[in-house]
Amino acid sequence: MTELGHVVFYVRDLERSSAFYREVVGLQQIGTVFDGRAAVFSNGASHHQLLLIGVGEAQGPLQGRRIGLYHVGWRVGESLDVLREYLRRAEAFGCEVDGTSDHGVSHSLYLRDPDDNEIELFVDNPDYDWRSNSDWIEEPVKPLAL
Protein backbone atom coordinates (compact mmCIF):
# COMPACT_ATOMS: atom_id res chain seq x y z
CA MET A 1 0.00 0.00 0.00
CA THR A 2 1.52 3.28 -1.08
CA GLU A 3 -0.69 6.35 -1.19
CA LEU A 4 -0.07 10.06 -1.39
CA GLY A 5 -0.18 11.36 2.15
CA HIS A 6 0.74 15.05 2.03
CA VAL A 7 2.59 17.82 0.24
CA VAL A 8 4.76 20.47 1.93
CA PHE A 9 5.45 23.86 0.33
CA TYR A 10 7.73 26.72 1.34
CA VAL A 11 5.76 29.97 0.86
CA ARG A 12 6.71 33.65 1.09
CA ASP A 13 3.52 34.93 2.76
CA LEU A 14 1.95 32.33 5.05
CA GLU A 15 -1.28 34.28 5.63
CA ARG A 16 -1.85 34.90 1.90
CA SER A 17 -1.10 31.28 0.98
CA SER A 18 -3.23 29.92 3.84
CA ALA A 19 -6.17 32.06 2.72
CA PHE A 20 -5.78 30.73 -0.84
CA TYR A 21 -5.87 27.08 0.25
CA ARG A 22 -8.85 27.76 2.55
CA GLU A 23 -10.93 30.03 0.32
CA VAL A 24 -10.07 28.82 -3.19
CA VAL A 25 -9.10 25.17 -2.76
CA GLY A 26 -11.52 24.57 0.12
CA LEU A 27 -9.14 22.92 2.60
CA GLN A 28 -9.70 23.24 6.34
CA GLN A 29 -6.83 24.76 8.32
CA ILE A 30 -6.55 22.70 11.50
CA GLY A 31 -3.67 24.46 13.21
CA THR A 32 -0.21 25.92 13.09
CA VAL A 33 3.24 24.53 13.94
CA PHE A 34 6.78 25.84 14.33
CA ASP A 35 5.65 28.75 16.53
CA GLY A 36 3.08 29.89 13.97
CA ARG A 37 5.48 29.81 11.02
CA ALA A 38 3.63 26.92 9.34
CA ALA A 39 -0.02 26.05 8.70
CA VAL A 40 -1.53 22.55 8.73
CA PHE A 41 -4.49 21.58 6.53
CA SER A 42 -6.69 18.46 6.50
CA ASN A 43 -9.95 17.37 4.96
CA GLY A 44 -10.37 14.73 7.66
CA ALA A 45 -9.19 11.79 5.56
CA SER A 46 -5.78 11.82 7.29
CA HIS A 47 -3.94 13.91 9.88
CA HIS A 48 -2.76 16.34 7.19
CA GLN A 49 -2.71 16.68 3.42
CA LEU A 50 -0.90 20.01 3.18
CA LEU A 51 1.69 21.85 5.24
CA LEU A 52 2.73 25.40 4.34
CA ILE A 53 5.96 26.73 5.82
CA GLY A 54 6.33 30.51 5.69
CA VAL A 55 9.87 31.60 4.89
CA GLY A 56 9.23 35.19 3.83
CA GLU A 57 12.23 36.90 2.30
CA ALA A 58 14.62 35.38 4.84
CA GLN A 59 16.66 32.23 4.51
CA GLY A 60 14.60 29.05 4.25
CA PRO A 61 14.56 26.78 7.28
CA LEU A 62 16.54 23.93 5.75
CA GLN A 63 18.40 24.70 2.55
CA GLY A 64 18.69 28.40 2.08
CA ARG A 65 16.39 30.71 0.14
CA ARG A 66 13.77 28.49 -1.42
CA ILE A 67 10.11 28.74 -2.41
CA GLY A 68 7.98 25.89 -3.70
CA LEU A 69 8.02 22.18 -3.10
CA TYR A 70 9.80 20.97 0.03
CA HIS A 71 8.75 17.32 -0.10
CA VAL A 72 5.99 14.87 -0.91
CA GLY A 73 4.97 12.36 1.75
CA TRP A 74 3.89 8.86 0.77
CA ARG A 75 2.08 6.75 3.38
CA VAL A 76 3.39 3.22 3.03
CA GLY A 77 1.74 1.45 5.97
CA GLU A 78 1.12 1.44 9.70
CA SER A 79 4.08 -0.27 11.36
CA LEU A 80 7.75 0.32 11.93
CA ASP A 81 8.42 -3.08 10.33
CA VAL A 82 6.95 -1.77 7.08
CA LEU A 83 9.11 1.36 7.31
CA ARG A 84 12.19 -0.80 7.97
CA GLU A 85 11.43 -2.76 4.80
CA TYR A 86 11.29 0.49 2.81
CA LEU A 87 14.61 1.51 4.35
CA ARG A 88 16.10 -1.81 3.26
CA ARG A 89 14.74 -1.32 -0.27
CA ALA A 90 16.10 2.23 -0.48
CA GLU A 91 19.54 1.14 0.68
CA ALA A 92 19.55 -1.80 -1.78
CA PHE A 93 18.70 0.69 -4.54
CA GLY A 94 21.65 2.84 -3.47
CA CYS A 95 19.63 5.74 -2.02
CA GLU A 96 21.28 7.83 0.64
CA VAL A 97 18.90 8.36 3.53
CA ASP A 98 18.61 11.99 4.67
CA GLY A 99 17.11 11.06 8.03
CA THR A 100 14.32 9.55 10.08
CA SER A 101 11.81 11.24 12.39
CA ASP A 102 9.18 10.43 14.99
CA HIS A 103 6.31 12.89 14.53
CA GLY A 104 4.17 11.26 17.21
CA VAL A 105 1.28 10.69 14.84
CA SER A 106 3.60 9.11 12.25
CA HIS A 107 7.13 7.82 11.71
CA SER A 108 9.14 8.95 8.71
CA LEU A 109 12.05 8.08 6.47
CA TYR A 110 13.46 10.89 4.28
CA LEU A 111 15.37 10.29 1.06
CA ARG A 112 15.82 11.79 -2.40
CA ASP A 113 14.81 10.55 -5.81
CA PRO A 114 17.35 10.44 -8.68
CA ASP A 115 16.61 14.11 -9.49
CA ASP A 116 17.22 15.23 -5.87
CA ASN A 117 13.53 15.73 -4.99
CA GLU A 118 12.98 15.02 -1.31
CA ILE A 119 10.56 12.19 -0.57
CA GLU A 120 9.13 11.24 2.79
CA LEU A 121 8.00 7.65 3.27
CA PHE A 122 5.91 7.37 6.43
CA VAL A 123 3.77 5.02 8.44
CA ASP A 124 0.98 6.15 10.70
CA ASN A 125 1.53 5.38 14.36
CA PRO A 126 -1.22 2.82 15.16
CA ASP A 127 -1.09 3.88 18.83
CA TYR A 128 -2.05 7.48 18.02
CA ASP A 129 -5.68 8.42 17.35
CA TRP A 130 -5.29 11.61 15.33
CA ARG A 131 -9.06 11.88 14.81
CA SER A 132 -9.64 12.54 18.51
CA ASN A 133 -6.23 13.90 19.56
CA SER A 134 -4.60 16.82 17.74
CA ASP A 135 -1.73 17.18 20.22
CA TRP A 136 0.66 15.95 17.50
CA ILE A 137 0.44 19.37 15.88
CA GLU A 138 2.32 20.94 18.81
CA GLU A 139 4.65 18.04 19.64
CA PRO A 140 8.32 18.46 18.76
CA VAL A 141 9.79 16.18 16.12
CA LYS A 142 11.92 13.48 17.75
CA PRO A 143 14.65 11.23 16.37
CA LEU A 144 13.62 7.78 15.17
CA ALA A 145 15.89 4.76 15.24
CA LEU A 146 15.14 2.17 12.60
Side-chain angles (χ1 to χ4, degrees):
M1 165 195 103
T2 300
E3 63 186 23
L4 183 61
H6 61 266
V7 175
V8 181
F9 289 118
Y10 290 131
V11 298
R12 291 220 186 277
D13 184 326
L14 183 60
E15 289 305 315
R16 182 182 66 195
S17 294
S18 294
F20 171 83
Y21 283 98
R22 284 190 312 266
E23 297 170 23
V24 177
V25 179
L27 296 177
Q28 180 183 357
Q29 185 172 343
I30 62 168
T32 60
V33 294
F34 308 136
D35 296 323
R37 293 176 297 154
V40 182
F41 295 82
S42 176
N43 65 7
S46 75
H47 35 81
H48 70 293
Q49 284 87 32
L50 178 66
L51 178 68
L52 303 177
I53 301 173
V55 295
E57 299 298 324
Q59 295 287 18
L62 296 177
Q63 296 183 1
R65 192 178 306 270
R66 185 162 114 175
I67 296 296
L69 182 66
Y70 170 13
H71 71 258
V72 175
W74 296 94
R75 187 166 74 92
V76 296
E78 293 188 5
S79 76
L80 286 176
D81 287 338
V82 171
L83 199 57
R84 286 182 191 103
E85 173 59 20
Y86 276 86
L87 173 60
R88 186 200 64 73
R89 290 166 57 174
E91 290 173 340
F93 191 81
C95 290
E96 184 174 328
V97 174
D98 287 346
T100 58
S101 295
D102 177 351
H103 297 282
V105 71
S106 62
H107 303 115
S108 302
L109 167 66
Y110 295 92
L111 49 100
R112 294 182 184 273
D113 74 7
D115 293 305
D116 207 35
N117 295 301
E118 186 166 331
I119 305 297
E120 175 188 3
L121 302 177
F122 72 94
V123 295
D124 284 336
N125 180 350
D127 298 327
Y128 203 106
D129 181 7
W130 58 266
R131 293 184 190 278
S132 64
N133 183 355
S134 63
D135 290 347
W136 67 271
I137 294 174
E138 298 298 327
E139 289 180 12
V141 177
K142 300 174 283 296
L144 176 69
L146 289 177

